[in-house]
């Protein structure tokens, strides 16, 4: 699935792998590999895979040249359960990004954030978001929904206005900084196994580029 999403990006923005940004490590018996790309005309793309007791794919799109939000996508296969999570986070400088077409593309699959949901990043979420689960037999259906989400996001991003890359990086850094400061299921195990310096480089340089 990750290759399909990267192909969707390549169709709109040429991808070049970044030198020195690849990282391999092991956490809790699982092997992780992460790498980063520059998407010309868009910004930073980070990917990570995990293999072991479960399988996981992560994609992060952090636009620095177009005024669109950060996109974070996770696909998890574990214990016969399929999970898709995709969220956008506010790194916007203006108001040219339009999410209406994403909502229309997803239909009933689009979820609106409950006002009572509490987390340090709740105010940064740009609607709509995905959080879908199902048995192994639903894998293809979930992948298709995720692909529709990413395609609609890319179309909305391509239609958004250009922006100052330096200002955009500073705005986007608030989310990756928050992940490192507040911790969570994605950061805490890596910190415990690999240390704070490695974890900071993984998130800031490889996954988010800011």
């Amino acid at each position: 699935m990750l290759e399909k999403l990267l192909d969707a990006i390549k169709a709109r923005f040429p991808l070049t792998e970044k030198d020195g940004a690849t990282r391999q490590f092991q956490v809790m018996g699982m092997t992780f590999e992460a790498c980063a790309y520059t998407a010309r005309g868009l910004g930073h793309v980070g990917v990570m895979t995990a293999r072991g007791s479960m399988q996981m794919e992560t994609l992060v799109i952090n636009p620095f040249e177009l005024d669109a939000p950060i996109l974070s996508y996770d696909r998890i296969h574990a214990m016969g359960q399929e999970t898709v999570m995709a969220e956008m986070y506010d790194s916007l400088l203006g108001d040219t990004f339009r999410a209406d077409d994403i909502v229309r593309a997803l239909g009933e699959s689009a979820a609106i954030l409950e006002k009572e949901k509490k987390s340090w990043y709740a105010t940064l979420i740009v609607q709509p978001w995905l959080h879908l689960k199902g048995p192994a037999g639903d894998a293809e259906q979930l992948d298709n929904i995720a692909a529709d989400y990413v395609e609609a996001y890319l179309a909305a991003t391509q239609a958004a206005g250009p922006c100052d890359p330096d200002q955009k990086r500073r705005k986007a850094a608030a989310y990756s900084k928050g992940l490192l400061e507040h911790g969570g299921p994605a950061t805490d195990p890596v910190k415990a196994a690999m240390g704070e310096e490695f974890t900071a480089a993984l998130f800031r340089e490889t996954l988010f580029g800011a």
Side-chain angles (χ1 to χ4, degrees), residues 74-151:
D74 290 297
R75 182 74 169 86
I76 302 169
H77 314 261
M79 301 178 66
Q81 185 84 0
E82 306 290 330
T83 302
V84 170
M85 292 179 288
E87 292 180 337
M88 296 179 289
Y89 304 109
D90 185 6
S91 62
L92 300 169
L93 300 176
D95 60 358
T96 61
F97 181 81
R98 297 289 180 267
D100 298 350
D101 288 342
I102 305 177
V103 176
R104 282 191 286 270
L106 294 175
E108 294 182 357
S109 300
I112 303 301
L113 180 67
E114 303 93 340
K115 291 182 180 179
E116 65 271 15
K117 182 176 180 180
K118 295 181 180 179
S119 66
W120 69 268
Y121 62 88
T123 58
L124 295 178
I125 293 179
V126 176
Q127 300 172 3
W129 59 304
L130 287 179
H131 192 175
L132 305 174
K133 291 186 178 183
D138 290 349
E140 183 176 357
Q141 179 185 4
L142 296 183
D143 285 341
N144 289 338
I145 293 171
D148 288 345
Y149 185 98
V150 174
E151 286 279 9

Side-chain angles (χ1 to χ4, degrees), residues 143-179:
D143 285 341
N144 289 338
I145 293 171
D148 288 345
Y149 185 98
V150 174
E151 286 279 9
Y153 165 85
L154 289 171
T157 296
Q158 198 168 32
C163 60
D164 180 86
D166 291 333
Q167 290 185 34
K168 196 65 156 53
R169 284 178 185 274
R170 287 193 291 271
K171 182 75 178 285
Y175 181 70
S176 51
K177 181 180 178 182
L179 285 174

